Structure formats: structure tokens, C-alpha cells
Amino acid sequence: MMNQVHIGVDIGGTNTAIGLFDQELALRAKRSFVTSLPHYPGKTDRPIPFLDELAERIFRLIGEHAPGAKLAAVGMGVPGRVDPVNGIALAASNLAWANVPVAAEMSERLGVPVYIDNDVRIFMLGEAMAGAAKGSGSVIGVTLGTGMAAAVMVDGKMWEGHRGFAGELGHDQVPGYHARCNCGGYGCLETIASATGIARLGAEAAANGRIPLLHSPDGRITARDVYLAAMAGDSAAADIFRFVGATLGSKLTTAVYLLNPEMIIVGGGAAAAGELLLGPLREAIYGKYRFEVKPAVVAAALGDSAGLYGGVHYAIGRGGE
């Protein structure tokens, strides 16, 4: 029987995950649900329907798996630019959120302290505490989901940058490419290196008749559809993953020269492609990085639970009992 629990939350542009942790910080249960965006694409500073649903689902999870337990604190990963000190989601382009006081709103609903930070830093913290980066000091973490971003850990500490915006590599432009990004720009890295980007490239290839194996029952091509076509032997689908890996690798090589990390960890939904993506990514970095000792390039060990572990450890680190 659990007397006290912590909750970790990982908010994504497509799905949101909730994890229930016991006193020893063991993950005891998790649930996910579709991130509701009734306002999209119009920006909002009060996504009330989503916040209400999130609170209701947290209480439901506790009631199902730890009835009577006291909720101590909640730690959350939120995409985009975040002010962790004041608990505000400043700009989350894939959610169309602007200046949302997430921590205050959720604390009011839940009756406990709520702490937030950028979702990729929370992911990286989870992998550092309980996953692939455990015991490592200098690591770059990358997540490829609805969007794409990076997190940097230097000497065991997360690097936030001057105003907490470090890691927004997904909005670095790729020369020669002009797909519209949700941030309003064109040719951003995440329009290629993300699950959304892979789906877009797949849909374009399918429309041009270059991937005959690529189809979807509802006519909507996803990154998983592209993956399944590649695994079934379609060379054009495999080429998409090679292109995505090479493009991301080219951008990350600069960061490798700058930071000299021990490893690069890749998470997010698109990381499920495994070596189909990691192989070209590794080749791109190793082909350009001239020093003898090269960083390991690995998949996240905790899968979609990394952000949940990270959220709970972040909350405790910020003072959540």
C-alpha cells in the first residue's frame, strides 16, 4: 500500500503521458491520452479544457492504483520555451500555447506544488537518473516527436542557457529546404528530423508514386507507416530515414565539436525506428568528427517513460517532498 505518491507528466504535441511513482520513486502505473488542442492553430494562454482533463486523469490514476495515498508533488515536461522559475510555458509552437501559467494552474487544481521545465531537459534528466545516461557527466539528448529539440548535460548539470531557451535546435534552418514549421518559420530542422517531418516526407514520396508499399487505412501517412514500408524492403522509405539521420547528424556534429559529449541519446516516437535512423545519424557524425574518441549514439533506455522519471526527479530536486 502506497501512503505517498509523486506524479510525472510528459506533455507532447500529440499525446500526454502520466506516471505514478511510489515513495522509492519506482514507476507503478502510467497512462497516456491525446493532447486536446481545441484552440489550435490559434494561440492561447489558458488551455483550460486540457488542464482540466489532465488534473482529472491524475486523480483517476491515483484512485485506481494508490487509493488513499497522499499526492506529494508533480513534475512536468512542457515543449517549447519554458520559464521554470515562474512555471510558465512561454511559447510552445506545437501546442499553440503562449505565456501559459502551467504550474500555478495545475497547482490550483491538484492542491500540491507543481514544477515544470522544458520537456527535453526533463527527458534528459530521466535518462540521467535512471536510463542510458546514468553515471555519465556530459551528454546531448535529442527527442524526435511532433517537434524536435535537444538538451545538454555538462558535468552532470543541465544547461538551460541565458533565459532557459537552450536546446531549441529544431528551429535551426536547413539550407535549401522550405517546409513551413509550426513556429512560423520555414525550413526548420524539425520539419525534417521529427515524427511529423518523417510523415510529411513519406506523404510527399507516396503522392509522387515513389513508395508503392506506403499506405494507410485512413489515408493519413504517419512516421510509423514510413517505418513499416522501409522494414518491408521499400528502398525509398529507407532513404527517408537515411536523409533524416544524415540531416540531424550534420547539425549535431557542430554540437559534438563544441561540447565533446560522452554520448548522444535519441528519444521520442521516431526513435522507435532504431538503427534505421540511428545508423545514418551515427555515420553522419562519425564521418565528420575527426577526433579518435567519438561519442556513443544510442536510443533512450526508458522509452516513453523517460519524461515521467525526469518529471518526478525534477519535482523532488525543486523541493517537492
Side-chain angles (χ1 to χ4, degrees):
M1 177 143 180
M2 289 178 275
N3 297 317
Q4 177 175 284
V5 297
H6 289 78
I7 292 287
V9 177
D10 183 11
I11 299 175
T14 302
N15 295 301
T16 293
I18 306 169
L20 173 73
F21 291 77
D22 63 19
Q23 295 96 319
E24 284 72 44
L25 302 187
L27 179 60
R28 299 294 293 269
K30 67 178 181 179
R31 295 287 187 273
S32 64
F33 64 99
V34 175
T35 304
S36 59
L37 303 173
H39 55 278
Y40 193 87
K43 286 186 172 61
T44 182
D45 63 352
R46 290 295 188 280
I48 301 302
F50 171 77
L51 299 176
D52 286 345
E53 181 179 12
L54 177 57
E56 189 276 330
R57 286 180 178 272
I58 288 173
F59 284 131
R60 188 191 309 173
L61 187 64
I62 296 172
E64 291 173 352
H65 296 276
K70 175 187 176 184
L71 175 60
V74 176
M76 301 171 57
V78 181
R81 302 200 306 274
V82 175
D83 174 355
V85 174
N86 295 301
I88 300 172
L90 298 172
S93 58
N94 290 315
L95 300 175
W97 289 4
N99 299 312
V100 178
V102 179
E105 288 279 353
M106 291 305 299
S107 183
E108 180 179 344
R109 287 166 171 79
L110 299 173
V112 298
V114 175
Y115 306 93
I116 74 167
D117 198 0
N118 171 267
D119 62 337
V120 188
R121 285 198 290 269
I122 293 291
F123 152 83
M124 184 72 259
L125 179 60
E127 288 290 330
M129 298 302 295
K134 190 173 184 179
S136 298
S138 298
V139 183
I140 296 175
V142 178
T143 56
L144 308 177
T146 304
M148 177 267 158
V152 177
M153 185 172 73
V154 178
D155 293 335
K157 297 181 180 179
M158 218 62 66
W159 180 255
E160 295 183 354
H162 172 53
R163 297 182 62 195
F165 301 164
E168 289 297 324
L169 185 63
H171 298 293
D172 189 13
Q173 189 175 38
V174 180
Y177 291 87
H178 308 287
R180 178 70 181 264
C181 180
N182 285 336
C183 74
Y186 293 85
C188 293
L189 177 60
E190 77 171 40
T191 66
I192 296 170
S194 65
T196 306
I198 292 168
R200 178 184 63 81
L201 293 168
E204 290 176 358
N208 294 330
R210 291 192 288 114
I211 308 184
L213 292 177
L214 188 55
H215 58 83
S216 176
D218 61 1
R220 177 175 169 269
I221 302 300
T222 67
R224 177 171 172 76
D225 295 326
V226 182
Y227 167 75
L228 292 174
M231 295 303 291
D234 192 289
S235 60
D239 284 343
I240 289 175
F241 283 97
R242 278 191 284 271
F243 170 64
V244 170
T247 303
L248 177 59
S250 179
K251 291 289 186 181
L252 284 175
T253 301
T254 301
V256 171
Y257 271 118
L258 181 66
L259 300 169
N260 185 32
E262 298 170 53
M263 68 173 63
I264 295 171
I265 299 175
V266 183
E275 285 301 309
L276 198 62
L277 175 68
L278 294 181
L281 171 59
R282 196 179 291 115
E283 290 171 9
I285 295 173
Y286 291 1
K288 295 176 69 175
Y289 188 65
R290 301 303 181 191
F291 295 124
E292 181 178 347
V293 179
K294 304 179 189 303
V297 177
V298 302
L302 300 175
D304 61 3
S305 296
L308 306 181
Y309 279 91
V312 166
H313 281 281
Y314 180 73
I316 291 173
R318 286 286 304 274
E321 295 297 330

